[in-house]
Amino acid sequence: MVERESVIEIVVSVGAVVAMLAAMFAIGSSYGAANSTLSPEGGQMLVWVIVGFILVMTAVGVALAYLLNQPDDGLETDGGNVSA
């Protein structure tokens, strides 16, 4: 059986990829020329979609690592105690 955390990671990652592909398709449809080329404005938009995807996936990875980390899984070296 697949663990709950793995299912959450898969769903979030696939959702982000689908959103990026939908944005790329929308840009291709809007900024595509008659000879199947992309206009310069479309190229710039495509670059921004890729940059946004990288930033979103980084934020998703950090958020999932923070939210799905359990104190008893041994990832903390000090046992989860904070001493000042």
Side-chain angles (χ1 to χ4, degrees):
M1 188 76 187
V2 180
E3 293 183 8
R4 177 181 171 268
E5 290 85 10
S6 296
V7 172
I8 292 171
E9 291 173 354
I10 290 168
V11 168
V12 170
S13 299
V14 168
V17 170
V18 168
M20 184 192 73
L21 290 175
M24 293 173 103
F25 180 77
I27 289 170
S29 297
S30 299
Y31 294 98
N35 58 357
S36 298
T37 60
L38 196 60
S39 69
E41 294 86 13
Q44 290 176 350
M45 294 293 291
L46 190 61
V47 168
W48 283 113
V49 166
I50 294 170
V51 169
F53 176 73
I54 292 169
L55 294 176
V56 165
M57 289 306 290
T58 301
V60 164
V62 169
L64 285 176
Y66 177 74
L67 294 174
L68 298 179
N69 184 19
Q70 300 295 325
D72 58 345
D73 62 4
L75 294 177
E76 290 88 11
T77 57
D78 63 354
N81 295 331
V82 178
S83 59

